[in-house]
Amino acid sequence: MCRRCQTHKESCLRRNSLSDWPTSVSGYAVRPIIAKLPHEIGSVAALVVDEEAECVDEDIPEWVPAEWLSPVMGDSGVSDVYGAIGVWPAAFVAAEVVLQKAPKGKPFSCLELGCGAGFPSLVAGRLGAERVYALDSEQLTLDLLQAAFERQGTCGRLVPLLGDASKLPQDLLASVSLIIVSDLLYSVELGKSLGWCLGRWVIDEGRQLVLTDGGRSGRPAFLEAFREASSSDACFEDVPVPDWAPQKGDFFDGTSTQTVGLLRY
């Protein structure tokens, strides 16, 4: 971390203790999810919605813990609530890989697709990324990430992007050297689209792709398309969720996740 980033980080952390963090974002009560990373950047915190629901959609599974329930579950204006209510295990794995792969000692820009609460983006920002592009289909998750990013000693700039991960502008892809994707392969169509797009993107020298997956339905389609586009023998390797991860629950089935698939190519 450069001296300017370190000084800025220390200043922000002094000014923004956890007690000073926002209690609401976009009309929702929020709480920080804090992870103490075994790295010089120290602790990183993402913001998620935290408010008990007065009324909850009847389709929500009974296993969902009370702390995950909030009015956002029944908000018709938020079609994908899962990025707003917590940080997925795959995001913690992606963040740990970012710690290893982010360029050291030189400027870089990165893009996180389907960022949700954006934990990997926050880590990239703390590592000194000049620009962190974060794309999601929900404005609420981008608002949560923006609020968290501003309070964590990052010396770069967050660029929130509301959009579709299957329709990525070429000029955006050309402007970054690191792309992060965690637990986004929810459909065959999206998996195939991302496989072709990212498989072609990684061909150029100096580009790094960090992609993790919790075993979603789009993984086989992604892998087939990625292999063909990149002319590689790409595969997924099961890697453990970091010990420092503050939560390991899967929001879909309520089980504790011990490993997550990491793309190797």
Side-chain angles (χ1 to χ4, degrees):
M1 181 182 296
C2 69
R3 182 176 298 178
R4 182 170 67 92
C5 292
Q6 180 66 30
T7 301
H8 181 67
K9 182 191 85 168
E10 292 172 354
S11 174
C12 285
L13 293 180
R14 284 195 301 269
R15 191 172 62 249
N16 294 294
S17 66
L18 290 179
S19 62
D20 296 327
W21 280 50
T23 56
S24 67
V25 172
S26 299
Y28 290 103
V30 297
R31 66 185 173 95
I33 291 182
I34 309 163
K36 296 181 179 179
L37 279 65
H39 189 277
E40 64 177 12
I41 65 174
S43 297
V44 174
L47 284 173
V48 298
V49 170
D50 178 36
E51 186 174 348
E52 291 187 2
E54 296 177 2
C55 58
V56 180
D57 191 295
E58 62 182 8
D59 292 332
I60 294 175
E62 292 182 357
W63 57 259
V64 175
E67 62 266 25
W68 290 356
L69 299 181
S70 74
V72 73
M73 287 289 193
D75 189 338
S76 60
V78 182
S79 60
D80 182 3
V81 304
Y82 292 101
I85 60 176
V87 179
W88 295 74
F92 293 125
V93 173
E96 184 159 79
V97 179
V98 169
L99 286 172
Q100 303 164 7
K101 290 195 172 186
K104 295 176 176 62
K106 62 180 181 179
F108 73 98
S109 293
C110 67
L111 165 65
E112 183 177 5
L113 302 178
C115 63
F119 191 85
S121 288
L122 293 165
V123 169
R126 289 283 295 278
L127 288 171
E130 289 187 323
R131 284 178 182 263
V132 178
Y133 297 92
L135 182 143
D136 202 273
S137 61
E138 296 294 343
Q139 185 61 51
L140 174 58
T141 56
L142 296 176
D143 292 344
L144 291 169
L145 176 54
Q146 181 75 66
F149 197 90
E150 291 172 353
R151 288 165 172 79
Q152 289 196 68
T154 54
C155 60
R157 176 188 173 196
L158 176 69
V159 184
L161 302 170
L162 184 65
D164 185 344
S166 67
K167 301 174 182 177
L168 299 173
Q170 289 303 311
D171 58 343
L172 174 61
L173 293 172
S175 69
V176 299
S177 59
L178 172 65
I179 291 181
I180 308 162
V181 187
S182 66
D183 233 346
L184 186 58
L185 308 179
Y186 290 111
S187 70
V188 172
E189 294 77 13
L190 180 56
K192 183 176 181 179
S193 174
L194 285 176
W196 277 106
C197 176
L198 299 178
R200 291 192 294 265
W201 181 82
V202 298
I203 292 175
D204 287 359
E205 186 177 353
R207 291 177 170 179
Q208 296 276 3
L209 171 63
V210 176
L211 188 146
T212 58
D213 175 64
R216 309 306 174 190
S217 62
R219 182 193 286 195
F222 168 85
L223 199 55
E224 181 180 358
F226 185 89
R227 285 171 172 168
E228 186 168 350
S230 63
S231 299
S232 71
D233 295 324
C235 65
F236 279 93
E237 175 187 349
D238 286 338
V239 299
V241 178
D243 291 336
W244 52 258
Q247 59 185 46
K248 298 185 179 182
D250 186 295
F251 299 114
F252 280 149
D253 61 18
T255 60
S256 177
T257 302
Q258 301 303 318
T259 63
V260 168
L262 172 64
L263 181 69
R264 301 291 193 187
Y265 60 94

